[in-house]
PDB file of all heavy atoms in Angstrom:
ATOM      1  N   GLN A  15     -25.333  58.895 -37.457  1.00 52.00           N
ATOM      2  CA  GLN A  15     -25.695  59.706 -38.611  1.00 52.00           C
ATOM      3  C   GLN A  15     -27.201  59.891 -38.756  1.00 52.00           C
ATOM      4  O   GLN A  15     -27.639  60.809 -39.428  1.00 52.00           O
ATOM      5  CB  GLN A  15     -25.070  59.175 -39.900  1.00 52.00           C
ATOM      6  CG  GLN A  15     -25.451  57.770 -40.264  1.00 52.00           C
ATOM      7  CD  GLN A  15     -24.587  56.730 -39.589  1.00 52.00           C
ATOM      8  OE1 GLN A  15     -24.278  56.818 -38.418  1.00 52.00           O
ATOM      9  NE2 GLN A  15     -24.197  55.715 -40.316  1.00 52.00           N
ATOM     10  N   GLN A  16     -28.013  59.089 -38.118  1.00 65.00           N
ATOM     11  CA  GLN A  16     -29.470  59.250 -38.182  1.00 65.00           C
ATOM     12  C   GLN A  16     -29.980  60.148 -37.067  1.00 65.00           C
ATOM     13  O   GLN A  16     -30.851  60.971 -37.274  1.00 65.00           O
ATOM     14  CB  GLN A  16     -30.164  57.891 -38.084  1.00 65.00           C
ATOM     15  CG  GLN A  16     -29.953  57.018 -39.284  1.00 65.00           C
ATOM     16  CD  GLN A  16     -30.528  55.625 -39.071  1.00 65.00           C
ATOM     17  OE1 GLN A  16     -30.839  55.225 -37.959  1.00 65.00           O
ATOM     18  NE2 GLN A  16     -30.655  54.893 -40.154  1.00 65.00           N
ATOM     19  N   SER A  17     -29.447  59.983 -35.880  1.00 74.00           N
ATOM     20  CA  SER A  17     -29.995  60.678 -34.724  1.00 74.00           C
ATOM     21  C   SER A  17     -29.082  61.773 -34.189  1.00 74.00           C
ATOM     22  O   SER A  17     -29.478  62.508 -33.309  1.00 74.00           O
ATOM     23  CB  SER A  17     -30.246  59.671 -33.598  1.00 74.00           C
ATOM     24  OG  SER A  17     -29.022  59.122 -33.163  1.00 74.00           O
ATOM     25  N   ASN A  18     -27.857  61.862 -34.685  1.00 85.00           N
ATOM     26  CA  ASN A  18     -26.833  62.792 -34.191  1.00 85.00           C
ATOM     27  C   ASN A  18     -26.383  62.468 -32.770  1.00 85.00           C
ATOM     28  O   ASN A  18     -25.761  63.289 -32.113  1.00 85.00           O
ATOM     29  CB  ASN A  18     -27.292  64.249 -34.289  1.00 85.00           C
ATOM     30  CG  ASN A  18     -27.380  64.717 -35.716  1.00 85.00           C
ATOM     31  OD1 ASN A  18     -26.593  64.305 -36.559  1.00 85.00           O
ATOM     32  ND2 ASN A  18     -28.338  65.570 -36.004  1.00 85.00           N
ATOM     33  N   PHE A  19     -26.710  61.261 -32.286  1.00 89.00           N
ATOM     34  CA  PHE A  19     -26.261  60.808 -30.969  1.00 89.00           C
ATOM     35  C   PHE A  19     -26.119  59.293 -30.990  1.00 89.00           C
ATOM     36  O   PHE A  19     -26.909  58.590 -31.616  1.00 89.00           O
ATOM     37  CB  PHE A  19     -27.261  61.179 -29.864  1.00 89.00           C
ATOM     38  CG  PHE A  19     -26.842  60.628 -28.528  1.00 89.00           C
ATOM     39  CD1 PHE A  19     -25.924  61.307 -27.752  1.00 89.00           C
ATOM     40  CD2 PHE A  19     -27.313  59.407 -28.081  1.00 89.00           C
ATOM     41  CE1 PHE A  19     -25.492  60.777 -26.544  1.00 89.00           C
ATOM     42  CE2 PHE A  19     -26.882  58.871 -26.874  1.00 89.00           C
ATOM     43  CZ  PHE A  19     -25.978  59.564 -26.110  1.00 89.00           C
ATOM     44  N   ASP A  20     -25.118  58.788 -30.280  1.00 89.00           N
ATOM     45  CA  ASP A  20     -24.995  57.345 -30.084  1.00 89.00           C
ATOM     46  C   ASP A  20     -24.204  57.090 -28.816  1.00 89.00           C
ATOM     47  O   ASP A  20     -23.417  57.933 -28.371  1.00 89.00           O
ATOM     48  CB  ASP A  20     -24.299  56.682 -31.274  1.00 89.00           C
ATOM     49  CG  ASP A  20     -24.622  55.197 -31.407  1.00 89.00           C
ATOM     50  OD1 ASP A  20     -25.359  54.658 -30.554  1.00 89.00           O
ATOM     51  OD2 ASP A  20     -24.131  54.573 -32.352  1.00 89.00           O
ATOM     52  N   ILE A  21     -24.436  55.955 -28.218  1.00 91.00           N
ATOM     53  CA  ILE A  21     -23.668  55.498 -27.066  1.00 91.00           C
ATOM     54  C   ILE A  21     -23.221  54.075 -27.361  1.00 91.00           C
ATOM     55  O   ILE A  21     -24.001  53.266 -27.870  1.00 91.00           O
ATOM     56  CB  ILE A  21     -24.483  55.582 -25.747  1.00 91.00           C
ATOM     57  CG1 ILE A  21     -23.613  55.201 -24.538  1.00 91.00           C
ATOM     58  CG2 ILE A  21     -25.740  54.755 -25.820  1.00 91.00           C
ATOM     59  CD1 ILE A  21     -24.259  55.508 -23.190  1.00 91.00           C
ATOM     60  N   VAL A  22     -21.956  53.803 -27.067  1.00 90.00           N
ATOM     61  CA  VAL A  22     -21.383  52.489 -27.340  1.00 90.00           C
ATOM     62  C   VAL A  22     -20.732  51.984 -26.063  1.00 90.00           C
ATOM     63  O   VAL A  22     -19.955  52.696 -25.436  1.00 90.00           O
ATOM     64  CB  VAL A  22     -20.310  52.568 -28.461  1.00 90.00           C
ATOM     65  CG1 VAL A  22     -19.727  51.198 -28.758  1.00 90.00           C
ATOM     66  CG2 VAL A  22     -20.876  53.214 -29.718  1.00 90.00           C
ATOM     67  N   ASN A  23     -21.062  50.779 -25.681  1.00 90.00           N
ATOM     68  CA  ASN A  23     -20.406  50.121 -24.571  1.00 90.00           C
ATOM     69  C   ASN A  23     -19.058  49.629 -25.082  1.00 90.00           C
ATOM     70  O   ASN A  23     -18.968  49.090 -26.179  1.00 90.00           O
ATOM     71  CB  ASN A  23     -21.280  48.950 -24.090  1.00 90.00           C
ATOM     72  CG  ASN A  23     -20.833  48.422 -22.761  1.00 90.00           C
ATOM     73  OD1 ASN A  23     -19.677  48.056 -22.592  1.00 90.00           O
ATOM     74  ND2 ASN A  23     -21.756  48.378 -21.822  1.00 90.00           N
ATOM     75  N   PHE A  24     -17.984  49.824 -24.325  1.00 86.00           N
ATOM     76  CA  PHE A  24     -16.649  49.433 -24.772  1.00 86.00           C
ATOM     77  C   PHE A  24     -16.575  47.972 -25.195  1.00 86.00           C
ATOM     78  O   PHE A  24     -15.839  47.627 -26.102  1.00 86.00           O
ATOM     79  CB  PHE A  24     -15.624  49.692 -23.660  1.00 86.00           C
ATOM     80  CG  PHE A  24     -14.809  50.933 -23.876  1.00 86.00           C
ATOM     81  CD1 PHE A  24     -15.433  52.161 -24.040  1.00 86.00           C
ATOM     82  CD2 PHE A  24     -13.440  50.889 -23.919  1.00 86.00           C
ATOM     83  CE1 PHE A  24     -14.706  53.307 -24.244  1.00 86.00           C
ATOM     84  CE2 PHE A  24     -12.689  52.024 -24.117  1.00 86.00           C
ATOM     85  CZ  PHE A  24     -13.322  53.242 -24.280  1.00 86.00           C
ATOM     86  N   GLN A  25     -17.354  47.105 -24.536  1.00 81.00           N
ATOM     87  CA  GLN A  25     -17.333  45.693 -24.893  1.00 81.00           C
ATOM     88  C   GLN A  25     -17.861  45.468 -26.308  1.00 81.00           C
ATOM     89  O   GLN A  25     -17.625  44.430 -26.900  1.00 81.00           O
ATOM     90  CB  GLN A  25     -18.147  44.862 -23.900  1.00 81.00           C
ATOM     91  CG  GLN A  25     -17.496  44.730 -22.543  1.00 81.00           C
ATOM     92  CD  GLN A  25     -17.848  45.878 -21.605  1.00 81.00           C
ATOM     93  OE1 GLN A  25     -17.904  47.040 -21.975  1.00 81.00           O
ATOM     94  NE2 GLN A  25     -18.056  45.559 -20.343  1.00 81.00           N
ATOM     95  N   ASP A  26     -18.585  46.451 -26.870  1.00 81.00           N
ATOM     96  CA  ASP A  26     -19.133  46.316 -28.214  1.00 81.00           C
ATOM     97  C   ASP A  26     -18.245  46.914 -29.302  1.00 81.00           C
ATOM     98  O   ASP A  26     -18.602  46.860 -30.477  1.00 81.00           O
ATOM     99  CB  ASP A  26     -20.521  46.981 -28.285  1.00 81.00           C
ATOM    100  CG  ASP A  26     -21.550  46.243 -27.448  1.00 81.00           C
ATOM    101  OD1 ASP A  26     -21.373  45.021 -27.244  1.00 81.00           O
ATOM    102  OD2 ASP A  26     -22.516  46.885 -27.001  1.00 81.00           O
ATOM    103  N   LEU A  27     -17.107  47.487 -28.931  1.00 75.00           N
ATOM    104  CA  LEU A  27     -16.244  48.102 -29.946  1.00 75.00           C
ATOM    105  C   LEU A  27     -15.762  47.095 -30.986  1.00 75.00           C
ATOM    106  O   LEU A  27     -15.554  47.445 -32.140  1.00 75.00           O
ATOM    107  CB  LEU A  27     -15.038  48.789 -29.295  1.00 75.00           C
ATOM    108  CG  LEU A  27     -15.325  50.120 -28.617  1.00 75.00           C
ATOM    109  CD1 LEU A  27     -14.067  50.653 -27.944  1.00 75.00           C
ATOM    110  CD2 LEU A  27     -15.880  51.151 -29.580  1.00 75.00           C
ATOM    111  N   ASP A  28     -15.606  45.834 -30.587  1.00 66.00           N
ATOM    112  CA  ASP A  28     -15.151  44.827 -31.547  1.00 66.00           C
ATOM    113  C   ASP A  28     -16.235  44.451 -32.557  1.00 66.00           C
ATOM    114  O   ASP A  28     -15.981  43.731 -33.505  1.00 66.00           O
ATOM    115  CB  ASP A  28     -14.613  43.587 -30.838  1.00 66.00           C
ATOM    116  CG  ASP A  28     -15.659  42.873 -29.992  1.00 66.00           C
ATOM    117  OD1 ASP A  28     -16.761  43.419 -29.803  1.00 66.00           O
ATOM    118  OD2 ASP A  28     -15.355  41.767 -29.521  1.00 66.00           O
ATOM    119  N   LYS A  29     -17.453  44.971 -32.385  1.00 65.00           N
ATOM    120  CA  LYS A  29     -18.538  44.679 -33.325  1.00 65.00           C
ATOM    121  C   LYS A  29     -18.631  45.711 -34.444  1.00 65.00           C
ATOM    122  O   LYS A  29     -19.486  45.619 -35.301  1.00 65.00           O
ATOM    123  CB  LYS A  29     -19.867  44.591 -32.576  1.00 65.00           C
ATOM    124  CG  LYS A  29     -19.903  43.420 -31.612  1.00 65.00           C
ATOM    125  CD  LYS A  29     -21.191  43.369 -30.848  1.00 65.00           C
ATOM    126  CE  LYS A  29     -21.126  42.185 -29.880  1.00 65.00           C
ATOM    127  NZ  LYS A  29     -22.004  42.335 -28.769  1.00 65.00           N
ATOM    128  N   PHE A  30     -17.748  46.708 -34.409  1.00 61.00           N
ATOM    129  CA  PHE A  30     -17.739  47.699 -35.475  1.00 61.00           C
ATOM    130  C   PHE A  30     -17.320  47.037 -36.770  1.00 61.00           C
ATOM    131  O   PHE A  30     -16.469  46.151 -36.783  1.00 61.00           O
ATOM    132  CB  PHE A  30     -16.767  48.841 -35.156  1.00 61.00           C
ATOM    133  CG  PHE A  30     -17.336  49.859 -34.213  1.00 61.00           C
ATOM    134  CD1 PHE A  30     -17.473  49.575 -32.870  1.00 61.00           C
ATOM    135  CD2 PHE A  30     -17.741  51.088 -34.672  1.00 61.00           C
ATOM    136  CE1 PHE A  30     -17.995  50.499 -32.000  1.00 61.00           C
ATOM    137  CE2 PHE A  30     -18.267  52.027 -33.808  1.00 61.00           C
ATOM    138  CZ  PHE A  30     -18.400  51.726 -32.470  1.00 61.00           C
ATOM    139  N   GLU A  31     -17.921  47.487 -37.871  1.00 49.00           N
ATOM    140  CA  GLU A  31     -17.586  46.923 -39.175  1.00 49.00           C
ATOM    141  C   GLU A  31     -16.129  47.166 -39.535  1.00 49.00           C
ATOM    142  O   GLU A  31     -15.508  46.368 -40.219  1.00 49.00           O
ATOM    143  CB  GLU A  31     -18.497  47.531 -40.249  1.00 49.00           C
ATOM    144  CG  GLU A  31     -19.934  47.082 -40.121  1.00 49.00           C
ATOM    145  CD  GLU A  31     -20.851  47.817 -41.073  1.00 49.00           C
ATOM    146  OE1 GLU A  31     -20.366  48.593 -41.917  1.00 49.00           O
ATOM    147  OE2 GLU A  31     -22.068  47.604 -40.971  1.00 49.00           O
ATOM    148  N   SER A  32     -15.578  48.286 -39.095  1.00 56.00           N
ATOM    149  CA  SER A  32     -14.192  48.614 -39.447  1.00 56.00           C
ATOM    150  C   SER A  32     -13.397  48.897 -38.176  1.00 56.00           C
ATOM    151  O   SER A  32     -12.930  49.996 -37.951  1.00 56.00           O
ATOM    152  CB  SER A  32     -14.146  49.807 -40.392  1.00 56.00           C
ATOM    153  OG  SER A  32     -14.828  50.905 -39.823  1.00 56.00           O
ATOM    154  N   GLU A  33     -13.250  47.884 -37.341  1.00 57.00           N
ATOM    155  CA  GLU A  33     -12.547  48.034 -36.070  1.00 57.00           C
ATOM    156  C   GLU A  33     -11.131  48.546 -36.266  1.00 57.00           C
ATOM    157  O   GLU A  33     -10.631  49.325 -35.467  1.00 57.00           O
ATOM    158  CB  GLU A  33     -12.529  46.686 -35.333  1.00 57.00           C
ATOM    159  CG  GLU A  33     -11.776  46.710 -34.025  1.00 57.00           C
ATOM    160  CD  GLU A  33     -11.703  45.350 -33.368  1.00 57.00           C
ATOM    161  OE1 GLU A  33     -12.551  44.488 -33.636  1.00 57.00           O
ATOM    162  OE2 GLU A  33     -10.773  45.173 -32.574  1.00 57.00           O
ATOM    163  N   GLU A  34     -10.471  48.130 -37.374  1.00 65.00           N
ATOM    164  CA  GLU A  34      -9.079  48.531 -37.582  1.00 65.00           C
ATOM    165  C   GLU A  34      -8.933  50.041 -37.706  1.00 65.00           C
ATOM    166  O   GLU A  34      -7.908  50.598 -37.336  1.00 65.00           O
ATOM    167  CB  GLU A  34      -8.458  47.824 -38.799  1.00 65.00           C
ATOM    168  CG  GLU A  34      -9.015  48.258 -40.145  1.00 65.00           C
ATOM    169  CD  GLU A  34     -10.342  47.596 -40.522  1.00 65.00           C
ATOM    170  OE1 GLU A  34     -10.819  46.699 -39.810  1.00 65.00           O
ATOM    171  OE2 GLU A  34     -10.903  48.003 -41.549  1.00 65.00           O
ATOM    172  N   ILE A  35      -9.953  50.740 -38.176  1.00 70.00           N
ATOM    173  CA  ILE A  35      -9.850  52.197 -38.277  1.00 70.00           C
ATOM    174  C   ILE A  35      -9.823  52.846 -36.900  1.00 70.00           C
ATOM    175  O   ILE A  35      -9.246  53.913 -36.718  1.00 70.00           O
ATOM    176  CB  ILE A  35     -10.961  52.797 -39.159  1.00 70.00           C
ATOM    177  CG1 ILE A  35     -10.536  54.181 -39.613  1.00 70.00           C
ATOM    178  CG2 ILE A  35     -12.293  52.844 -38.444  1.00 70.00           C
ATOM    179  CD1 ILE A  35     -11.256  54.678 -40.819  1.00 70.00           C
ATOM    180  N   LEU A  36     -10.402  52.202 -35.904  1.00 78.00           N
ATOM    181  CA  LEU A  36     -10.404  52.742 -34.551  1.00 78.00           C
ATOM    182  C   LEU A  36      -9.000  52.807 -33.969  1.00 78.00           C
ATOM    183  O   LEU A  36      -8.703  53.670 -33.156  1.00 78.00           O
ATOM    184  CB  LEU A  36     -11.295  51.900 -33.639  1.00 78.00           C
ATOM    185  CG  LEU A  36     -12.786  51.849 -33.961  1.00 78.00           C
ATOM    186  CD1 LEU A  36     -13.488  50.884 -33.030  1.00 78.00           C
ATOM    187  CD2 LEU A  36     -13.398  53.226 -33.883  1.00 78.00           C
TER     188      LEU A  36
END
Side-chain angles (χ1 to χ4, degrees):
Q15 60 275 43
Q16 291 174 345
S17 65
N18 291 326
F19 176 83
D20 203 358
I21 185 169
V22 181
N23 193 305
F24 258 56
Q25 289 87 319
D26 293 333
L27 284 177
D28 62 351
K29 295 178 181 156
F30 280 74
E31 291 173 6
S32 55
E33 178 184 337
E34 69 279 354
I35 199 160
L36 296 175

